[in-house]
Amino acid sequence: MRHADIAPHATQADQESTARGRTPRIFYRLARGADGADQAEVFHHAVMQGAAAHYEREAREAWAAVLPRDASAWVARQALYTTLVACCEGRCVGFLELDVAAGRVESLYVWPSLARRGIGTNLLIHAERLMLEHGHGRIDIAASLVLADGLERRGWQRVREEWAERGGQQLQRRIMQKSLAAVET
């Protein structure tokens, strides 16, 4: 992600326009330690509410239990993965974890009420640019059923189906990849 793509904070003018009823702006940047608590909540709600149409409750509960609903766990993950966040009014409302060395998106979650508004797509575009900047010609993801169809519409190719075990529950997902020869702008 280039610095020109990053907006560190909403300005006073942005906050005032939101107060006047305009749609709040979404800013994309690298994660900070202070984002950990929001990431925990985005993850939990995206799994429990956002994935409800695709996975049974027991499977979602097992999936959500994989990581504690605690900021410190997410801050620790920021040390493992390059984490990009989408912020609205100073809060993280979506995030993407990228394993740059492996050329893989580790996770992508958006607050359920903000789904289908392009936040995940924009996080992926930033990730694709970052991967190109690091010399990768392709990007991979193990996509949940929530994400997989949308990725296919954006040019990702399905490699195979697989099942991931989470807390004794089997969750279906798709291994997908995308060539980075042409990146959206």
Side-chain angles (χ1 to χ4, degrees):
M1 182 180 306
R2 298 181 312 244
H3 288 290
D5 298 325
I6 301 170
H9 300 290
T11 65
Q12 182 67 27
D14 292 325
Q15 292 169 356
E16 289 171 4
S17 72
T18 299
R20 289 190 303 262
R22 293 191 186 133
T23 304
R25 292 192 57 187
I26 305 293
F27 297 93
Y28 300 88
R29 62 171 170 74
L30 293 172
R32 301 180 186 129
D35 297 316
D38 286 343
Q39 284 181 259
E41 291 303 308
V42 169
F43 168 74
H44 178 81
H45 289 279
V47 170
M48 293 306 297
Q49 296 168 9
H54 300 280
Y55 298 96
E56 297 295 324
R57 182 169 184 79
E58 295 80 18
R60 289 181 283 125
E61 287 173 347
W63 182 2
V66 168
L67 288 164
R69 205 167 166 183
D70 179 73
S72 63
W74 293 95
V75 172
R77 289 177 67 88
Q78 290 174 13
L80 297 173
Y81 304 110
T82 300
T83 305
L84 311 176
V85 297
C87 294
C88 180
E89 298 180 350
R91 303 295 303 262
C92 168
V93 296
F95 67 92
L96 178 147
E97 294 174 319
L98 189 62
D99 184 337
V100 175
R104 178 180 67 238
V105 173
E106 190 65 28
S107 70
L108 172 60
Y109 295 98
V110 174
W111 192 264
S113 65
L114 298 175
R116 311 281 183 261
R117 296 186 187 192
I119 295 170
T121 296
N122 282 315
L123 285 166
L124 283 165
I125 289 168
H126 286 300
E128 291 168 14
R129 286 181 184 155
L130 190 58
M131 296 304 283
L132 272 173
E133 289 172 5
H134 281 86
H136 290 278
R138 121 181 156 218
I139 189 169
D140 300 314
I141 191 170
S144 71
L145 298 180
V146 177
L147 184 59
D149 290 339
L151 289 176
E152 285 190 52
R153 286 190 297 274
R154 287 194 59 246
W156 289 69
Q157 301 297 310
R158 185 184 313 194
V159 176
R160 69 180 182 279
E161 304 276 331
E162 73 174 21
W163 295 83
E165 189 274 329
R166 300 288 184 263
Q169 296 288 318
Q170 296 292 317
L171 290 92
Q172 185 179 6
R173 64 185 186 182
R174 294 182 192 153
I175 304 302
M176 305 180 78
Q177 60 185 221
K178 181 179 181 184
S179 170
L180 296 179
V183 175
E184 297 175 34
T185 57

